[in-house]
Amino acid sequence: MKLFQQLLVFPAALGLVAPLAANAAEVNMTDVSKYAAKTAKSIKAPSSAQFSDIVPGDWAYTSLKNLSASYGCVDNAYTQNLNSGLALTRYEAAALVNACLDNGLVASGEGLSSDASLLADEFGVEMAILKGRVDGLEYKLNELSAGQFSSTTKLNGKAAFVVGAVDYEDSADTAVDHGDKLTGTYSYRLDVNTSFNGNDRLYTRIITGNMDGNNPWGDKDGGTYLAVANDHEQVLEVDKLWYEWTKDDLKFWAGPKIENYYMLAASPSIYKPVQKQFALGGNTAAYASSTTAGFGVAWTQPTEADRKWTVSSNYASVGADDATKGILTDEQTKWLTQVTYGGKRWQIAAAYARHGCAGQDANSSCKAWSDYYSTAAGDNATGEGENAYSLRYWWRPAETGIMPSIQLGMDYRELDDAADTEVQSTAAWMVGLNWKDAWIDGNRAGIAFGSREHATDYAGSGDDEADDNLVWEAYYDYQLTDGITITPALFGGSHVYDGSNDDIFGALVQTVFKF
């Protein structure tokens, strides 16, 4: 059975088994057995009288009124009916006896009034059943509580269904062309957040999905990689795992599975993308990273003013789980520092990232840190390392309307000791626009366009045939309910990869379920 089928069948199986266990707990067998132990004289076959109402004039009705007056019963609806001279069912009478007696269900009349003893004998079975149902309910609640997370652990999830296709040029590079047929794919994600003292968080993300090389939605070379995508080949895996805590004005992060941009005091972007290449105000060398071990610290200016400063600095190592590379070395590492200033309506951010690749000779490949948003040449990186610089600016209107929020991004990267004819520097830019509450409250429209990271200079001679590339997307979020959003989107680009037969155009419908 496939993983996704298992995910669907497993809760259904539990739903069939759970009622059987619950029904077994509904009757308090101990109490029932006490009444079953009565003498044969007191146990009679059911008669029609046992199912009839208790009405004024019956001995039981008079005894109930005496019991209510003697024991000070709870002022519930049954007591009110009794005082008003209304008829009671046997179960209502049994519930009244249980409420009146401090000891609840009575199996013996010792120490009680004659009325109480007679009523306990008369309504004993009904009292036992009612008491059993209460005990069963408590049992089920206890079982439910035992199966829950701790009160400081919260589970959230997101499932995404994507149906769409991409049209490629004839003879497009196989790195970009993943077929032009209509596909249906999914991603699934669970976020588990646990706090131990109220000022910390242990974060775990578990994901699976099938947006991979068999369809366009996992393609980083062509830029059609989706923001909701993951390529975990339908295997449920721990994708993120870190611990964060605050101390005064500082926030700290550390964990075996984290990315640099999660360790920032302020996000550099407010644009909500469909394609991941438009995330972070441009998913280029400065901000793009890989999931690996890392740590970081961030400071937020303590002020009640709207505008404030933040400073963030963090480190991650791609070889953290490899003893031949390790942590705190300069082999495939990223150190990112960001400074921001702004408030609720605007913010400017400047970032610097140092990428290390020590021990590699000038002609060796080095992690480019820009897989999501670059041309073939722009993704190239050789030598000992590189420096990446970024500027981000966003602005949002005071009120929603025709004026959109605006996101701008510019990037520049320079490589150390590039080999002859190899890339020396790269650049990129993007613009993102969002209309909140577009046409209907809760909905959102978005448009983004920009230039993927491309080569601007070579050591010696060279030329990036895709340096004039342009990519774009346009979408509309329709919020069907608080937890379901349907997003039709169009996207495309020219010279997206190597400048040769690499124009693309695509369309999709994305449905996201949040819970």
Side-chain angles (χ1 to χ4, degrees), residues 87-107:
L88 299 175
T89 67
R90 291 184 62 84
Y91 279 99
E92 289 174 343
L96 186 59
V97 176
N98 277 334
C100 285
L101 302 181
D102 291 337
N103 293 330
L105 185 63
V106 179

Side-chain angles (χ1 to χ4, degrees), residues 271-272 432-435 438 444-448 473-477 490:
Y271 178 73
K272 307 298 182 183
L433 308 174
N434 273 137
W435 287 265
R444 176 174 54 222
I447 296 175
E473 70 175 21
Y475 70 88
Y476 184 77
D477 280 346
L490 299 175

Side-chain angles (χ1 to χ4, degrees), residues 451-476:
S451 176
R452 294 157 60 83
E453 190 156 346
H454 56 275
T456 57
D457 192 20
Y458 282 76
S461 60
D463 186 29
D464 185 353
E465 297 296 332
D467 59 0
D468 61 346
N469 75 89
L470 180 70
V471 290
W472 59 272
E473 70 175 21
Y475 70 88
Y476 184 77

Side-chain angles (χ1 to χ4, degrees), residues 101-287:
L101 302 181
D102 291 337
N103 293 330
L105 185 63
V106 179
S108 171
E110 184 178 354
L112 297 174
S113 68
S114 58
D115 286 327
S117 299
L118 290 172
L119 290 170
D121 285 340
E122 176 68 21
F123 301 109
V125 173
E126 290 85 355
M127 292 166 65
I129 292 174
L130 290 177
K131 185 64 164 60
R133 288 176 178 173
V134 172
D135 289 348
L137 179 59
E138 291 176 351
Y139 169 81
K140 285 185 279 187
L141 289 174
N142 290 336
E143 286 293 298
L144 179 61
S145 298
Q148 287 180 335
F149 291 111
S150 70
S151 59
T152 59
T153 297
K154 304 300 180 185
L155 174 66
N156 300 307
K158 180 167 73 173
F161 302 164
V162 176
V163 176
V166 178
D167 183 35
Y168 301 95
E169 286 193 273
D170 295 338
S171 303
D173 193 297
T174 55
V176 176
D177 190 345
H178 294 272
D180 58 3
K181 301 296 189 295
L182 187 69
T183 61
T185 55
Y186 81 97
S187 66
Y188 189 83
R189 161 180 159 181
L190 297 174
D191 297 313
V192 184
N193 295 280
T194 300
S195 177
F196 300 94
N197 58 30
N199 294 316
D200 65 344
R201 179 176 71 142
L202 175 65
Y203 175 69
T204 307
R205 178 196 291 179
I206 303 170
I207 64 174
T208 187
N210 63 353
M211 298 183 189
D212 51 29
N214 294 322
N215 50 73
W217 319 130
D219 176 26
K220 300 173 183 177
D221 293 320
T224 52
Y225 194 103
L226 300 182
V228 298
N230 68 71
D231 54 358
H232 283 247
E233 300 178 350
Q234 305 195 74
V235 176
L236 207 60
E237 293 183 354
V238 175
D239 175 61
K240 298 288 187 293
L241 180 62
W242 74 75
Y243 180 65
E244 62 186 59
W245 68 99
T246 58
K247 178 65 175 177
D248 298 328
D249 305 326
L250 298 177
K251 186 172 184 177
F252 302 88
W253 295 263
K257 282 182 170 286
I258 195 170
E259 296 184 60
N260 295 84
Y261 56 78
Y262 287 106
M263 298 181 279
L264 299 174
S267 173
S269 175
I270 60 171
Y271 178 73
K272 307 298 182 183
V274 171
Q275 295 177 307
K276 199 166 184 177
Q277 64 182 357
F278 293 114
L280 302 167
N283 206 334
T284 50
Y287 286 105

